[in-house]
mmCIF file of all heavy atoms in Angstrom:
data_model
loop_
_atom_site.group_PDB
_atom_site.id
_atom_site.type_symbol
_atom_site.label_atom_id
_atom_site.label_comp_id
_atom_site.label_asym_id
_atom_site.label_seq_id
_atom_site.Cartn_x
_atom_site.Cartn_y
_atom_site.Cartn_z
ATOM 1 N N LEU A 25 225.364 -45.166 -29.966
ATOM 2 C CA LEU A 25 226.341 -45.993 -29.260
ATOM 3 C C LEU A 25 227.730 -45.779 -29.846
ATOM 4 O O LEU A 25 227.916 -45.862 -31.058
ATOM 5 C CB LEU A 25 225.922 -47.458 -29.410
ATOM 6 C CG LEU A 25 226.777 -48.521 -28.769
ATOM 7 C CD1 LEU A 25 226.741 -48.367 -27.247
ATOM 8 C CD2 LEU A 25 226.254 -49.887 -29.164
ATOM 9 N N ARG A 26 228.683 -45.504 -28.981
ATOM 10 C CA ARG A 26 230.078 -45.367 -29.414
ATOM 11 C C ARG A 26 230.849 -46.564 -28.883
ATOM 12 O O ARG A 26 230.835 -46.840 -27.689
ATOM 13 C CB ARG A 26 230.693 -44.079 -28.872
ATOM 14 C CG ARG A 26 230.081 -42.841 -29.476
ATOM 15 C CD ARG A 26 230.761 -41.599 -28.900
ATOM 16 N NE ARG A 26 230.177 -40.409 -29.436
ATOM 17 C CZ ARG A 26 230.601 -39.794 -30.531
ATOM 18 N NH1 ARG A 26 231.621 -40.257 -31.194
ATOM 19 N NH2 ARG A 26 230.012 -38.694 -30.954
ATOM 20 N N LEU A 27 231.530 -47.257 -29.783
ATOM 21 C CA LEU A 27 232.290 -48.445 -29.412
ATOM 22 C C LEU A 27 233.777 -48.201 -29.614
ATOM 23 O O LEU A 27 234.169 -47.467 -30.530
ATOM 24 C CB LEU A 27 231.889 -49.629 -30.299
ATOM 25 C CG LEU A 27 230.477 -50.162 -30.179
ATOM 26 C CD1 LEU A 27 230.247 -51.251 -31.224
ATOM 27 C CD2 LEU A 27 230.224 -50.697 -28.796
ATOM 28 N N PRO A 28 234.598 -48.859 -28.816
ATOM 29 C CA PRO A 28 236.031 -48.833 -29.110
ATOM 30 C C PRO A 28 236.263 -49.447 -30.502
ATOM 31 O O PRO A 28 235.484 -50.306 -30.955
ATOM 32 C CB PRO A 28 236.641 -49.718 -28.025
ATOM 33 C CG PRO A 28 235.639 -49.724 -26.918
ATOM 34 C CD PRO A 28 234.299 -49.602 -27.592
ATOM 35 N N LEU A 29 237.298 -49.015 -31.169
ATOM 36 C CA LEU A 29 237.581 -49.453 -32.535
ATOM 37 C C LEU A 29 237.642 -50.975 -32.645
ATOM 38 O O LEU A 29 237.093 -51.560 -33.584
ATOM 39 C CB LEU A 29 238.895 -48.829 -33.029
ATOM 40 C CG LEU A 29 239.252 -49.081 -34.480
ATOM 41 C CD1 LEU A 29 238.162 -48.574 -35.410
ATOM 42 C CD2 LEU A 29 240.575 -48.399 -34.806
ATOM 43 N N GLU A 30 238.270 -51.635 -31.696
ATOM 44 C CA GLU A 30 238.390 -53.094 -31.733
ATOM 45 C C GLU A 30 237.011 -53.770 -31.672
ATOM 46 O O GLU A 30 236.739 -54.718 -32.405
ATOM 47 C CB GLU A 30 239.262 -53.587 -30.581
ATOM 48 C CG GLU A 30 239.504 -55.085 -30.618
ATOM 49 C CD GLU A 30 240.430 -55.553 -29.515
ATOM 50 O OE1 GLU A 30 241.196 -54.734 -28.957
ATOM 51 O OE2 GLU A 30 240.384 -56.757 -29.206
ATOM 52 N N ASP A 31 236.126 -53.273 -30.800
ATOM 53 C CA ASP A 31 234.781 -53.838 -30.704
ATOM 54 C C ASP A 31 233.980 -53.578 -31.979
ATOM 55 O O ASP A 31 233.249 -54.452 -32.454
ATOM 56 C CB ASP A 31 234.034 -53.277 -29.487
ATOM 57 C CG ASP A 31 234.625 -53.744 -28.172
ATOM 58 O OD1 ASP A 31 235.367 -54.754 -28.162
ATOM 59 O OD2 ASP A 31 234.340 -53.097 -27.145
ATOM 60 N N ALA A 32 234.124 -52.389 -32.539
ATOM 61 C CA ALA A 32 233.430 -52.062 -33.788
ATOM 62 C C ALA A 32 233.895 -52.992 -34.909
ATOM 63 O O ALA A 32 233.079 -53.449 -35.729
ATOM 64 C CB ALA A 32 233.670 -50.604 -34.160
ATOM 65 N N ALA A 33 235.189 -53.297 -34.934
ATOM 66 C CA ALA A 33 235.719 -54.207 -35.947
ATOM 67 C C ALA A 33 235.153 -55.611 -35.755
ATOM 68 O O ALA A 33 234.849 -56.305 -36.735
ATOM 69 C CB ALA A 33 237.247 -54.238 -35.881
ATOM 70 N N ARG A 34 234.974 -56.032 -34.510
ATOM 71 C CA ARG A 34 234.388 -57.351 -34.243
ATOM 72 C C ARG A 34 232.938 -57.414 -34.710
ATOM 73 O O ARG A 34 232.510 -58.413 -35.289
ATOM 74 C CB ARG A 34 234.466 -57.665 -32.756
ATOM 75 C CG ARG A 34 235.871 -57.910 -32.252
ATOM 76 C CD ARG A 34 235.842 -58.099 -30.771
ATOM 77 N NE ARG A 34 237.170 -58.361 -30.244
ATOM 78 C CZ ARG A 34 237.452 -58.471 -28.967
ATOM 79 N NH1 ARG A 34 236.488 -58.334 -28.066
ATOM 80 N NH2 ARG A 34 238.676 -58.715 -28.563
ATOM 81 N N VAL A 35 232.188 -56.359 -34.456
ATOM 82 C CA VAL A 35 230.792 -56.313 -34.903
ATOM 83 C C VAL A 35 230.745 -56.347 -36.432
ATOM 84 O O VAL A 35 229.936 -57.073 -37.015
ATOM 85 C CB VAL A 35 230.064 -55.074 -34.338
ATOM 86 C CG1 VAL A 35 228.688 -54.916 -34.957
ATOM 87 C CG2 VAL A 35 229.967 -55.157 -32.819
ATOM 88 N N ALA A 36 231.614 -55.594 -37.066
ATOM 89 C CA ALA A 36 231.668 -55.589 -38.535
ATOM 90 C C ALA A 36 232.018 -56.976 -39.068
ATOM 91 O O ALA A 36 231.430 -57.432 -40.065
ATOM 92 C CB ALA A 36 232.677 -54.550 -39.024
ATOM 93 N N ALA A 37 232.939 -57.664 -38.413
ATOM 94 C CA ALA A 37 233.321 -59.016 -38.832
ATOM 95 C C ALA A 37 232.145 -59.978 -38.692
ATOM 96 O O ALA A 37 231.917 -60.829 -39.561
ATOM 97 C CB ALA A 37 234.515 -59.506 -38.013
ATOM 98 N N LEU A 38 231.378 -59.847 -37.608
ATOM 99 C CA LEU A 38 230.195 -60.699 -37.436
ATOM 100 C C LEU A 38 229.171 -60.433 -38.538
ATOM 101 O O LEU A 38 228.567 -61.365 -39.071
ATOM 102 C CB LEU A 38 229.565 -60.469 -36.057
ATOM 103 C CG LEU A 38 230.316 -61.075 -34.881
ATOM 104 C CD1 LEU A 38 229.742 -60.548 -33.571
ATOM 105 C CD2 LEU A 38 230.251 -62.598 -34.933
ATOM 106 N N ALA A 39 228.996 -59.165 -38.882
ATOM 107 C CA ALA A 39 228.054 -58.819 -39.954
ATOM 108 C C ALA A 39 228.520 -59.394 -41.295
ATOM 109 O O ALA A 39 227.700 -59.764 -42.131
ATOM 110 C CB ALA A 39 227.878 -57.305 -40.040
ATOM 111 N N GLU A 40 229.815 -59.501 -41.494
ATOM 112 C CA GLU A 40 230.335 -60.122 -42.717
ATOM 113 C C GLU A 40 230.105 -61.626 -42.707
ATOM 114 O O GLU A 40 229.800 -62.228 -43.739
ATOM 115 C CB GLU A 40 231.824 -59.827 -42.881
ATOM 116 C CG GLU A 40 232.120 -58.416 -43.327
ATOM 117 C CD GLU A 40 233.602 -58.171 -43.556
ATOM 118 O OE1 GLU A 40 234.325 -59.144 -43.886
ATOM 119 O OE2 GLU A 40 234.030 -57.020 -43.412
ATOM 120 N N LEU A 41 230.236 -62.242 -41.535
ATOM 121 C CA LEU A 41 230.001 -63.687 -41.419
ATOM 122 C C LEU A 41 228.536 -64.048 -41.621
ATOM 123 O O LEU A 41 228.215 -65.144 -42.081
ATOM 124 C CB LEU A 41 230.437 -64.193 -40.042
ATOM 125 C CG LEU A 41 231.933 -64.328 -39.787
ATOM 126 C CD1 LEU A 41 232.185 -64.674 -38.326
ATOM 127 C CD2 LEU A 41 232.525 -65.391 -40.700
ATOM 128 N N TYR A 42 227.648 -63.132 -41.234
ATOM 129 C CA TYR A 42 226.205 -63.341 -41.339
ATOM 130 C C TYR A 42 225.625 -62.215 -42.198
ATOM 131 O O TYR A 42 225.090 -61.239 -41.690
ATOM 132 C CB TYR A 42 225.565 -63.364 -39.944
ATOM 133 C CG TYR A 42 226.155 -64.453 -39.078
ATOM 134 C CD1 TYR A 42 227.161 -64.179 -38.165
ATOM 135 C CD2 TYR A 42 225.714 -65.771 -39.208
ATOM 136 C CE1 TYR A 42 227.714 -65.186 -37.395
ATOM 137 C CE2 TYR A 42 226.264 -66.780 -38.434
ATOM 138 C CZ TYR A 42 227.264 -66.482 -37.534
ATOM 139 O OH TYR A 42 227.813 -67.480 -36.766
ATOM 140 N N PRO A 43 225.742 -62.341 -43.510
ATOM 141 C CA PRO A 43 225.375 -61.242 -44.408
ATOM 142 C C PRO A 43 223.891 -60.845 -44.367
ATOM 143 O O PRO A 43 223.552 -59.747 -44.795
ATOM 144 C CB PRO A 43 225.778 -61.748 -45.798
ATOM 145 C CG PRO A 43 225.989 -63.209 -45.655
ATOM 146 C CD PRO A 43 226.269 -63.493 -44.228
ATOM 147 N N ASP A 44 223.042 -61.708 -43.846
ATOM 148 C CA ASP A 44 221.623 -61.341 -43.719
ATOM 149 C C ASP A 44 221.376 -60.452 -42.505
ATOM 150 O O ASP A 44 220.248 -60.007 -42.289
ATOM 151 C CB ASP A 44 220.744 -62.590 -43.613
ATOM 152 C CG ASP A 44 220.666 -63.347 -44.923
ATOM 153 O OD1 ASP A 44 220.974 -62.747 -45.969
ATOM 154 O OD2 ASP A 44 220.297 -64.531 -44.890
ATOM 155 N N ARG A 45 222.395 -60.212 -41.711
ATOM 156 C CA ARG A 45 222.278 -59.398 -40.496
ATOM 157 C C ARG A 45 223.144 -58.150 -40.622
ATOM 158 O O ARG A 45 224.328 -58.230 -40.949
ATOM 159 C CB ARG A 45 222.741 -60.167 -39.264
ATOM 160 C CG ARG A 45 222.104 -61.506 -39.071
ATOM 161 C CD ARG A 45 220.681 -61.370 -38.606
ATOM 162 N NE ARG A 45 220.198 -62.695 -38.244
ATOM 163 C CZ ARG A 45 218.981 -63.104 -38.452
ATOM 164 N NH1 ARG A 45 218.108 -62.315 -39.009
ATOM 165 N NH2 ARG A 45 218.607 -64.302 -38.107
ATOM 166 N N SER A 46 222.551 -57.014 -40.348
ATOM 167 C CA SER A 46 223.320 -55.761 -40.357
ATOM 168 C C SER A 46 224.070 -55.630 -39.029
ATOM 169 O O SER A 46 223.798 -56.365 -38.070
ATOM 170 C CB SER A 46 222.381 -54.570 -40.540
ATOM 171 O OG SER A 46 221.551 -54.434 -39.388
#
Side-chain angles (χ1 to χ4, degrees):
L25 180 65
R26 293 181 181 269
L27 294 175
L29 186 58
E30 184 177 339
D31 292 341
R34 291 175 179 175
V35 172
L38 286 169
E40 285 183 28
L41 285 173
Y42 301 97
D44 289 341
R45 308 286 189 216
S46 67

